[in-house]
Amino acid sequence: MKKEKALKVVAINGSARKDGNTAILIHYILQELEKTGIITEMVQLSGHRIRGCTACMKCFENRNRRCIIDDDIVNDCILKMSEADGIILGSPVYFSDIPAEMKALIDRAGFVSMANGELFRHKVGAAAIAVRRTGAMHTADTLLHFMLGRDMIPAGFPGIGIGLNVGDVELDHEGIDRMKSIGENMAWLLKVIQKGAVPG
């Protein structure tokens, strides 16, 4: 009997706060994945200066799975995302949308994916959003549209956790339950795809 390869999920935490509320929410998703034997990793963008896409189109010339801008963390993230079976995008809400660093990452990763035959196609996606008051739906829309635009398969609607100070999201029990549900859904979908129940 052929041994199934280990499944892996990488999470990108787009928050400027390392180990803050966004990371807490992501951890609840990862815990559910780990229960099923799926390997997980979280990359935190906190502390990294990330340049925006310059629309130079060099990724379409080079087609080497890399962005021409090579002095930040983005190419490492692209590699991890392309090698993973599932991708989680976590973000706080900044003025009703994702932070600039997260936008720079998905812009550049999206172009590199397109230039190389859609690197993220058919990967299972999920998103976690930490919010204080307003803007969560717009932020969810941004992340969900990135996934759909790159032919990924979302494991449900993005999860939302409410809180201000670090740890406050732990008090949002409904939000935490939603993260756990996303993790369960993601694990189920990854296993179904691995077993070949879904074509291609």
Side-chain angles (χ1 to χ4, degrees):
M1 183 175 177
K2 186 178 178 182
K3 185 178 180 180
E4 294 179 338
K5 84 172 183 72
L7 293 167
K8 183 171 183 179
V9 170
V10 63
I12 308 293
N13 177 13
S15 176
R17 290 180 176 176
K18 186 177 182 181
D19 298 323
N21 284 326
T22 307
I24 291 170
L25 297 175
I26 291 171
H27 275 302
Y28 278 102
I29 300 175
L30 297 182
Q31 285 172 7
E32 296 304 315
L33 295 167
E34 291 162 3
K35 287 177 185 178
T36 69
I38 294 172
I39 299 168
T40 69
E41 178 182 4
M42 180 163 65
V43 178
Q44 305 204 57
L45 302 187
S46 174
H48 292 276
R49 291 181 178 271
I50 300 176
R51 293 174 58 186
C53 178
T54 61
C56 67
M57 309 308 283
K58 289 293 184 181
C59 53
F60 284 88
E61 291 180 27
N62 297 331
R63 299 186 189 277
N64 61 355
R65 297 185 170 213
R66 297 179 66 81
C67 175
I68 195 70
I69 301 169
D70 204 22
D71 59 357
D72 59 25
I73 196 176
V74 170
N75 279 324
D76 290 338
C77 290
I78 293 172
L79 178 62
K80 290 177 185 294
M81 292 164 72
S82 64
E83 291 181 343
D85 302 287
I87 300 168
I88 299 168
L89 300 176
S91 179
V93 177
Y94 282 20
F95 292 94
S96 298
D97 212 332
I98 61 177
E101 292 78 11
M102 191 62 159
K103 185 65 167 75
L105 172 68
I106 65 175
D107 283 350
R108 288 167 57 192
F111 261 127
V112 171
S113 176
M114 290 171 62
N116 292 274
E118 295 295 358
L119 297 177
F120 309 143
R121 176 177 285 147
H122 298 161
K123 294 186 185 296
V124 177
I129 295 153
V131 64
R132 173 64 183 102
R133 288 190 182 277
T134 61
M137 296 304 288
H138 188 103
T139 304
D141 188 59
T142 297
L143 298 178
L144 190 58
H145 272 84
F146 170 76
M147 290 186 280
L148 293 172
R150 302 281 52 81
D151 292 334
M152 292 172 61
I153 307 166
F157 194 80
I160 297 167
I162 300 171
L164 175 61
N165 298 315
V166 175
D168 282 356
V169 290
E170 297 275 13
L171 303 176
D172 180 7
H173 302 298
E174 187 175 349
I176 296 301
D177 285 344
R178 178 63 190 144
M179 299 304 154
K180 293 178 180 179
S181 178
I182 289 171
E184 292 171 357
N185 290 345
M186 196 173 194
W188 178 85
L189 188 51
L190 284 163
K191 299 283 188 181
V192 167
I193 293 171
Q194 184 183 52
K195 293 182 184 302
V198 176

